[in-house]
């Protein structure tokens, strides 16, 4: 079986790739560190408000009457 | 055999190593600063604020329909926006889909086409027709091309663009008509397993989750990762935006679901129990965001109170792993797909 010898990356190229990657990581972290944030208490209050404002329009939460839900089987009608 | 270093090369190598060490130190410093900034705003827990919210009563949810007919594990499904139709791997419930190794599928917003792909490393778009005799395979259009499996796909707000995620560690945005790559998203260190687009009112962002345990939020126009969250202890299999767009939930092989608030820039809730030890494959919210549904590898569905952090229901029925779960667009039901070859509709 023939073995193909792969050209070995020079140590300089390998280090340059690592440096490029490290520079990108630093750049990315700078972007993430600089964003504006709000307090968890405020964020939580907003999530709660959204839930309560939309609760009545949430069929799975409220449960809708069997007759209105197209996926629930309708009871058979019997004629007396 | 390495060629011997000349004195000049040796000096350069030392300099490069010093630069690398310097950059790594800077990285660590920035990471610490990031955690400090996040911690400053961590004044309370979500479930504490939610103590004043009324508790949820008993939930009675049952399987209302079981869709059989797959010869195989169901790996993915999607709802059509306008009609009560579903596409799932291998079969669209009106027309048979000519794909067999599908890991991802999505309905076009118009309802006129579906996109799917998987082990072929591609995402292809198929027009839909009610004519069962029409050979759809002939009309397929290859849109996306990755260098590893396609894990997820989603149309943006029109039939014209598709967002994909792949085992090759990237996400990408494609023009459907030309197949052109419009933007690529690099930053995950391993396979990307899932993605979800932000609700259209909140702008052009999406979230992705991967085998690197990270959930990343991306700007679709610039390709930039704008926020990153790394609190899960294993692969993230599913991500889904909270309906307001201000938060997203994730499901992971670490057996937990978590909620991340984008404006607080941190995890704000964990949905877990000691008795739940199997991974979560798929998550979705009810319309108001109060309920979080999770499909698990132990064949069950757990329903969580998003605000209080407690489980409100556990649903049984599937006879193998639940692999996919989606709430219907009108919020009246949710659908699960399983390795037991069936789809179930719950309400």
């Amino acid at each position: 079986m023939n073995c193909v010898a792969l050209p070995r990356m020079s140590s300089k190229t390998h280090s340059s790739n690592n440096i490029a990657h490290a520079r990108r990581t630093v750049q990315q972290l700078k972007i993430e560190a600089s964003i504006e944030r709000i307090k968890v208490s405020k964020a939580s209050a907003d999530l709660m408000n959204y839930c309560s404002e939309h609760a009545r329009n949430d069929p799975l939460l409220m449960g809708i009457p069997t007759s209105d839900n197209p996926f629930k089987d309708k009871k058979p009608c019997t004629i007396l | 055999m390495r060629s011997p270093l000349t004195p000049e090369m040796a000096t350069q190598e030392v300099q490069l190593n010093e630069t690398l060490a310097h950059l790594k130190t800077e990285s660590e410093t920035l990471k610490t600063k990031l955690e400090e900034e996040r911690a400053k705003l961590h004044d309370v827990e979500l479930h504490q604020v939610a103590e004043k919210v009324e508790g949820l009563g008993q939930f009675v949810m049952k399987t209302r329909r079981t869709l059989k007919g797959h010869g195989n594990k169901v790996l993915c499904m999607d709802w059509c926006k306008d009609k009560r139709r579903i596409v799932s791997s291998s079969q669209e419930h009106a027309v048979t889909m000519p794909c067999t190794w599908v890991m991802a599928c999505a309905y076009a917003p118009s309802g006129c086409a579906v996109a799917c792909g998987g082990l072929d490393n591609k995402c292809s778009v198929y027009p839909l027709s009610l004519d069962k005799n029409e050979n759809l395979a002939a009309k397929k259009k290859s849109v996306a091309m990755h260098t590893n499996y396609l894990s997820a796909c989603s149309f943006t707000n029109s039939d014209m663009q598709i967002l994909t995620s792949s085992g090759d560690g990237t996400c990408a945005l494609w023009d459907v008509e030309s197949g052109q790559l419009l933007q690529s998203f690099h930053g995950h260190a391993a396979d990307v397993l899932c993605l979800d687009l932000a609700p259209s009112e909140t702008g052009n962002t999406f979230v992705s989750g991967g085998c690197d345990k990270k959930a990343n939020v991306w700007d679709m126009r610039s390709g930039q990762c704008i926020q990153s969250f790394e609190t899960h202890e294993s692969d993230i299999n599913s991500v889904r935006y909270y309906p307001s767009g201000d938060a997203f939930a994730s499901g992971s092989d670490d057996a937990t679901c978590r909620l991340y608030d984008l404006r607080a820039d941190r995890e704000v809730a964990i949905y877990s129990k000691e008795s739940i030890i199997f991974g979560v494959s798929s998550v979705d919210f009810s319309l108001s965001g109060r309920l979080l549904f999770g499909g698990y590898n132990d064949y069950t569905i757990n329903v969580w109170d998003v605000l209080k952090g407690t489980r409100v229901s556990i649903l049984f029925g599937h006879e193998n792993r639940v692999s996919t779960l989606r709430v219907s667009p009108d919020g009246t039901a949710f659908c699960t797909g399983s390795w037991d070859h069936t789809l179930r509709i719950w309400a």
Side-chain angles (χ1 to χ4, degrees):
Chain A
M1 188 173 72
N2 285 333
C3 293
V4 177
L6 296 170
R8 199 186 294 276
M9 262 205 296
S10 73
S11 55
K12 184 177 176 203
T13 318
H14 195 66
S15 293
S16 299
N17 285 344
N18 283 344
I19 286 182
H21 179 76
R23 280 216 175 95
R24 278 196 298 271
T25 305
V26 167
Q27 267 313 105
Q28 181 59 37
L29 285 167
K30 280 183 178 165
I31 289 171
E32 290 176 30
S34 67
I35 69 162
E36 283 185 26
R37 296 175 190 83
I38 65 172
K39 287 186 181 174
V40 175
S41 51
K42 167 84 172 94
S44 302
D46 289 350
L47 290 173
M48 280 164 52
N49 282 340
Y50 188 91
C51 280
S52 72
E53 274 168 30
H54 293 84
R56 83 193 102 253
N57 296 323
D58 185 342
L60 286 168
L61 183 67
M62 305 308 302
I64 57 179
T66 307
S67 54
D68 290 349
N69 189 325
F71 289 111
K72 288 186 181 172
D73 292 325
K74 296 196 203 303
K75 294 191 179 123
C77 295
T78 52
I79 298 173
L80 299 170
Chain B
M1 190 175 75
R2 249 175 93 136
S3 52
L5 294 174
T6 63
E8 292 80 13
M9 283 167 73
T11 315
Q12 277 175 344
E13 187 159 331
V14 166
Q15 283 172 342
L16 286 171
N17 285 337
E18 277 173 355
T19 313
L20 193 59
H22 174 76
L23 284 168
K24 286 198 166 150
T25 312
E26 205 183 344
S27 260
E28 291 309 311
T29 311
L30 282 166
K31 274 185 196 166
T32 309
K33 183 183 172 203
L34 191 52
E35 283 319 306
E36 279 170 5
E37 291 300 311
R38 282 173 168 167
K40 277 181 197 168
L41 298 162
H42 188 194
D43 53 346
V44 75
E45 297 292 337
L46 169 60
H47 64 82
Q48 289 170 318
V49 179
E51 266 160 30
K52 53 187 169 178
V53 175
E54 212 180 295
L56 299 172
Q58 282 287 354
F59 277 89
V60 179
M61 270 179 249
K62 294 194 283 192
T63 303
R64 304 293 172 175
R65 294 275 192 284
T66 304
L67 305 173
K68 300 181 188 179
H70 276 269
N72 251 311
K73 299 174 181 175
V74 179
L75 299 178
C76 56
M77 56 81 42
D78 191 20
W79 290 89
C80 180
K81 278 186 182 38
D82 296 336
K83 295 150 195 175
R84 291 224 158 68
R85 289 191 307 177
I86 293 171
V87 61
S88 60
S89 52
S90 309
Q91 206 162 353
E92 197 270 349
H93 296 270
V95 186
T96 304
M97 294 291 297
C99 342
T100 48
W101 18 244
V102 171
M103 297 169 69
C105 57
Y107 244 112
S110 67
C112 299
V114 291
C116 68
L119 295 176
D120 59 347
N121 298 0
K122 295 194 234 179
C123 184
S124 305
V125 176
Y126 295 81
L128 290 178
S129 161
L130 290 175
D131 178 356
K132 288 188 161 92
N133 295 323
E134 217 179 319
N135 182 5
L136 284 188
K139 295 201 166 169
K140 126 178 156 180
K141 193 187 189 75
S142 275
V143 174
M145 182 67 110
H146 279 279
T147 54
N148 209 325
Y149 64 89
L150 186 87
S151 54
C153 61
S154 176
F155 284 84
T156 59
N157 53 12
S158 77
D159 283 19
M160 308 284 44
Q161 290 181 354
I162 286 185
L163 192 58
T164 58
S165 63
S166 168
D168 68 14
T170 72
C171 298
L173 182 66
W174 310 82
D175 177 86
V176 173
E177 191 55 46
S178 63
Q180 200 193 347
L181 174 67
L182 299 172
Q183 185 61 262
S184 65
F185 306 88
H186 297 259
H188 278 287
D191 306 21
V192 187
L193 299 178
C194 51
L195 62 84
D196 192 37
L197 274 135
S200 41
E201 311 81 54
T202 36
N204 291 309
T205 60
F206 72 95
V207 60
S208 63
C211 289
D212 58 357
K213 312 174 202 171
K214 286 208 238 166
N216 289 341
V217 181
W218 307 87
D219 179 316
M220 272 170 64
R221 278 185 272 233
S222 66
Q224 186 70 53
C225 172
I226 48 186
Q227 282 171 282
S228 185
F229 303 90
E230 195 173 349
T231 62
H232 270 294
E233 295 167 16
S234 189
D235 300 1
I236 298 178
N237 298 313
S238 177
V239 285
R240 191 75 69 214
Y241 270 92
Y242 184 81
S244 70
D246 287 336
F248 69 90
S250 57
S252 164
D253 276 352
D254 70 9
T256 71
C257 302
R258 297 180 195 232
L259 186 69
Y260 298 90
D261 189 285
L262 294 170
R263 295 176 311 147
D265 187 37
R266 65 176 298 119
E267 174 192 291
V268 292
I270 304 182
Y271 307 100
S272 67
K273 273 178 110 67
E274 268 184 41
S275 53
I276 301 176
I277 56 172
F278 283 82
V280 189
S281 63
S282 197
V283 296
D284 203 356
F285 287 100
S286 68
L287 281 193
S288 67
R290 181 68 192 269
L291 299 175
L292 180 70
F293 300 96
Y296 289 69
N297 292 341
D298 65 0
Y299 315 174
T300 67
I301 293 129
N302 287 297
V303 187
W304 302 91
D305 180 329
V306 169
L307 302 178
K308 291 186 181 286
T310 52
R311 180 174 64 182
V312 296
S313 197
I314 177 169
L315 305 175
F316 301 96
H318 276 297
E319 294 166 11
N320 207 318
R321 289 195 189 192
V322 179
S323 54
T324 181
L325 184 157
R326 293 293 280 265
V327 172
S328 66
D330 61 4
T332 54
F334 66 93
C335 180
T336 51
S338 167
W339 283 17
D340 70 7
H341 301 194
T342 70
L343 290 153
R344 281 169 184 256
I345 313 251
W346 307 76

